């Protein structure tokens, strides 16, 4: 059922796309349903151009005939459509389960609007049950990890950090970075955590997306509902 809900949310978002739009195209299982829905509309005559947020998305979009560009060639985007690992009523998000959080955030920030697509299991009252990805440079990993632990301690959060992929074969992002997954349970002040993390020199980016999403389509047993952020 989860795949069905993801597909329903993705297809609803594809209806928002208009000819002439410059699109950011997300990464992950739900975003892949959006790529398929978008490709059908392109085949039917829709004229768009997309900026993929990962090599994986670029490959799929290219195979399905969705025209692609880069942020260098097209730095201003009309709309980004992407999934989320968690979203709350303010449309604050945790993203990065697929490891593309840096490019996803760059593309979202370059867009006038960001639409999130998800199944109902991703909707939460408080962010944090899903591990927060923190993208870090490999150099100085130990020092960066200690600095992150200090921030988490200062904010009263658990300090359980796991190097994605493990020490022997760590996961590498498209940008050649590592990811530390922080199991925080509940993030009381996401804005403070976000600002403290990006101030650490070895942190490239984190998976807290705050103030970027403008709308969400969340699908469940009762159909697809539209969520606008609580102000």
């Amino acid at each position: 059922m989860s795949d069905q809900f993801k597909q329903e949310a993705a297809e609803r978002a594809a209806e928002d796309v208009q000819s002439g739009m410059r699109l950011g195209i997300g990464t992950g299982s739900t975003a892949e349903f959006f790529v398929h829905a978008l490709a059908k509309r392109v085949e039917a005559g829709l004229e768009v151009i997309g900026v993929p947020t990962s090599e994986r998305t670029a490959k799929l979009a290219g195979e399905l005939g969705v025209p692609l560009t880069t942020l260098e060639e097209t730095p201003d985007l009309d709309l980004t459509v992407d999934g989320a690992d968690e979203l709350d009523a303010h449309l604050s998000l945790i993203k990065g389960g697929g490891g593309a959080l840096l490019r996803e955030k760059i593309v979202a920030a370059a867009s006038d609007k960001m639409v999130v697509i998800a199944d109902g299991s991703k909707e939460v009252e408080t962010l944090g049950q899903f591990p927060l990805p923190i993208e870090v440079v490999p150099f100085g990993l130990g020092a960066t990890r200690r600095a992150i632990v200090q921030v988490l301690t200062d904010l009263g959060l658990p300090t359980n950090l796991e190097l994605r992929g493990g020490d022997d074969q760590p996961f590498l992002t498209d940008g050649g970075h590592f990811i530390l997954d922080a199991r925080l349970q509940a993030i009381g002040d996401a804005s403070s955590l976000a600002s403290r993390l990006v101030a650490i020199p070895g942190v490239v980016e984190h998976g807290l997306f705050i103030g970027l999403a403008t709308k969400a389509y969340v699908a469940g047993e009762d159909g697809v509902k539209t969520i606008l952020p609580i102000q």
Side-chain angles (χ1 to χ4, degrees):
M1 289 298 291
S2 176
D3 279 351
Q4 178 184 330
F5 296 151
K6 291 176 181 180
Q7 182 174 356
E8 290 173 0
E11 290 177 348
R12 177 62 186 86
E15 294 174 7
D16 285 359
V17 179
Q18 302 173 15
S19 254
M21 275 190 166
R22 300 155 297 177
L23 298 175
I25 306 175
T27 295
S29 58
T30 312
E32 288 180 3
F33 282 113
F34 173 73
V35 176
H36 281 276
L38 180 64
K40 289 179 182 177
R41 294 201 60 200
V42 168
E43 186 177 5
L46 181 75
E47 295 184 0
V48 295
I49 194 161
V51 173
T53 55
S54 67
E55 300 302 323
R56 171 180 164 185
T57 295
K59 182 175 185 294
L60 177 62
E63 289 172 349
L64 294 177
V66 176
L68 298 178
T69 183
T70 66
L71 279 182
E72 286 72 27
E73 297 168 339
T74 311
D76 299 312
L77 304 179
D78 300 299
L79 173 68
T80 284
V81 177
D82 204 348
D85 298 302
E86 285 186 345
L87 68 151
D88 67 13
H90 301 278
L91 291 192
S92 295
L93 318 171
I94 285 182
K95 289 180 52 55
L101 61 123
L102 175 60
R103 293 190 184 185
E104 287 173 336
K105 191 172 284 189
I106 291 171
V107 170
S111 303
D112 292 338
K113 296 179 181 179
M114 179 187 185
V115 171
V116 177
I117 48 177
D119 66 86
S121 68
K122 305 300 194 298
E123 196 175 358
V124 298
E125 288 188 12
T126 304
L127 299 177
Q129 281 292 320
F130 190 91
L132 175 66
I134 305 169
E135 189 162 344
V136 299
V137 295
F139 178 82
L141 177 61
T144 300
R145 184 195 290 264
R146 285 194 295 274
I148 294 171
V149 167
Q150 185 61 58
V151 166
L152 298 178
T153 301
D154 290 347
L155 295 176
L157 292 166
T159 57
N160 183 4
L161 290 176
E162 297 177 4
L163 179 64
R164 189 177 296 185
D167 293 333
D168 293 335
Q169 204 166 19
F171 172 86
L172 276 181
T173 69
D174 285 344
H177 305 130
F178 292 165
I179 288 181
L180 292 170
D181 288 309
R183 300 185 180 276
L184 304 178
Q185 305 305 319
I187 303 171
D189 189 344
S191 294
S192 292
L193 177 59
S195 61
R196 291 284 299 273
L197 287 175
V198 294
I200 298 171
V203 171
V204 179
E205 194 46 87
H206 54 74
L208 288 168
F209 283 53
I210 300 172
L212 288 170
T214 52
K215 181 167 60 175
Y217 291 122
V218 178
E221 294 286 354
D222 298 326
V224 180
K225 65 179 178 179
T226 302
I227 301 175
L228 301 176
I230 294 175
Q231 300 300 323

